[in-house]
Structure formats: structure tokens, C-alpha cells
Amino acid sequence: MKPDNLLEKESDCRLWAIKDPLLTEYHDHEWCKISHDDRHIFEMLCLEGQSVGLSWRTIINKRQAYKKAFFDFDIAKCASLTDEYLYSLLENAALIRNKNKIFSVRKNAIVVMKVIEQYGSFDKFVWSYTDGKQIVGHWAKSSEIPAETEISGKMSKDFRKLGMAFVGPVITYSFMQSIGMVNDHLMDCRYR
């Protein structure tokens, strides 16, 4: 086998990321890596919600602007944002200027604050869906990776009951991947 073919085989898991340095960095160092940090978990919930109807490439390339606009996704600060401030973000061309998406960050932060009060941490609540364990996929091809699962469907339903927005079952599955609740790196991926 030629070295070029070996490289192509090695990058199958990364096909969605290799044409963008930020996506490549995300795939190699964040995607499916376990996180128990409430702030990071909240950030990923918000960013995944912003991606509804858009590509992850769009969101990852706007990530720094979102971090700046939402105070590095400080949960308490996001929960206390005023309408006036949120409306001002609709003028920020570095963000997705969708009112419902912008306002969902505050809405979800308020819910997360209540969850933290009840469970001690957002991490503890979210990871309870997998009994605190990572679900490891055993996929040979990207086409085998599901878009949603029974667990993401339950999480979505529960999140909506709590009052969260932009948390459908496909988004919650992507969210689970983003914080390492699910490891969907292909079996031959060196970043597994």
C-alpha cells in the first residue's frame, strides 16, 4: 500500500474536518473527548443549538465571537443578560443573527442554573443519561454513525420539558458527542 493511500485511510474519520483548520483542531482535540466542566458543557449546548439548520463549520468559525458575546459562556452571566443586550447582539455580524437563537442562550442558562441548584452541577445531570459512562461506538465508516439515538431522544424531550430551546434529538446527539458522552471516532481513527 502506498503512503498516500495510508493517509487517506487514516483521515476517513476526519473527512468532515480536514478542509478547515478549526474543524480539524476540534475533531482532533475536542470532539468526543470527555468533559465534566459545567461551563464547557453549557458552551457546547449553546453552540450546538446555534447550528440548527446550519453547518458545524459555520458555528466553529464563529465560536470566538460567541465566546466574546456571551462572556465565555459563563452560565450565571448568560442567565442574567438583559433583553437590551441580547437585541444588541442581533447587530453583530460575527454571530448568527437569529433572535430565537440569540435569546435561547439566556433561556437555556436560566434552566441550567436551576438544574445546578437541584443536582449540584449540570455535568452530573447530563451524564446521568449514560450512568456517567461514555458510550463508545464501534464504527468502521462514518455512514454508520447515527444522527440520533434513544438516549438523545429522551434527553431532548426532558430538556424541552425543562424549558430549553434548540435541543431536538439530533442536536442533543451532537451535543453528547461534543462533550464526550459518546465517542464516535471511527475504529481506525488515531484520535479515538
Side-chain angles (χ1 to χ4, degrees):
M1 182 180 278
K2 292 167 128 178
D4 288 346
N5 291 343
L6 189 60
L7 288 175
E8 285 175 26
K9 180 69 176 149
E10 181 183 46
S11 67
D12 283 353
C13 185
R14 301 167 81 209
L15 286 178
W16 57 270
I18 57 174
K19 293 186 180 189
D20 185 305
L22 290 176
L23 279 180
T24 302
E25 178 72 17
Y26 175 73
H27 170 275
D28 296 354
H29 302 290
E30 266 188 272
W31 189 62
C32 301
K33 303 292 186 235
I34 293 172
S35 176
H36 291 290
D37 176 69
D38 275 0
R39 191 217 56 81
H40 181 256
I41 293 170
F42 177 66
E43 174 185 352
M44 298 318 292
L45 178 73
C46 293
L47 292 177
E48 291 292 351
Q50 299 301 302
S51 76
V52 169
L54 301 167
S55 72
W56 185 242
R57 174 177 277 115
T58 299
I59 301 306
I60 207 76
N61 280 283
K62 292 179 176 286
R63 185 178 192 179
Q64 292 309 312
Y66 274 98
K67 287 172 81 98
K68 184 177 179 185
F70 290 105
F71 307 95
D72 199 29
F73 292 97
D74 179 290
I75 300 165
K77 284 183 181 176
C78 287
S80 63
L81 295 174
T82 64
D83 282 358
E84 181 180 35
Y85 180 76
L86 293 172
Y87 275 114
S88 77
L89 294 181
L90 294 174
E91 304 301 317
N92 184 341
L95 305 176
I96 304 301
R97 294 184 288 181
N98 176 300
K99 179 182 176 246
N100 293 333
K101 288 183 178 183
I102 294 290
F103 275 71
S104 75
V105 174
R106 178 181 65 188
K107 184 177 188 173
N108 291 350
I110 291 168
V111 172
V112 169
M113 293 288 288
K114 291 176 185 172
V115 167
I116 291 170
E117 190 176 309
Q118 184 175 351
Y119 292 89
S121 71
F122 189 41
D123 167 68
K124 195 180 294 184
F125 174 72
V126 167
W127 278 86
S128 71
Y129 285 88
T130 61
D131 295 324
K133 297 176 185 133
Q134 185 181 60
I135 298 168
V136 179
H138 299 284
W139 317 117
K141 299 182 288 189
S142 296
S143 60
E144 297 172 349
I145 300 172
E148 61 182 279
T149 62
E150 188 176 324
I151 293 173
S152 75
K154 177 162 179 24
M155 181 185 282
S156 170
K157 187 176 178 184
D158 292 348
F159 279 11
R160 284 188 264 191
K161 277 185 191 172
L162 290 170
M164 288 187 188
F166 294 101
V167 288
V170 173
I171 288 299
T172 53
Y173 190 72
S174 293
F175 165 66
M176 291 170 69
Q177 292 170 320
S178 75
I179 63 168
M181 290 176 71
V182 173
N183 183 346
D184 278 340
H185 283 282
L186 300 183
M187 292 295 288
D188 65 351
C189 183
R190 63 186 165 136
Y191 297 98
R192 190 169 170 75

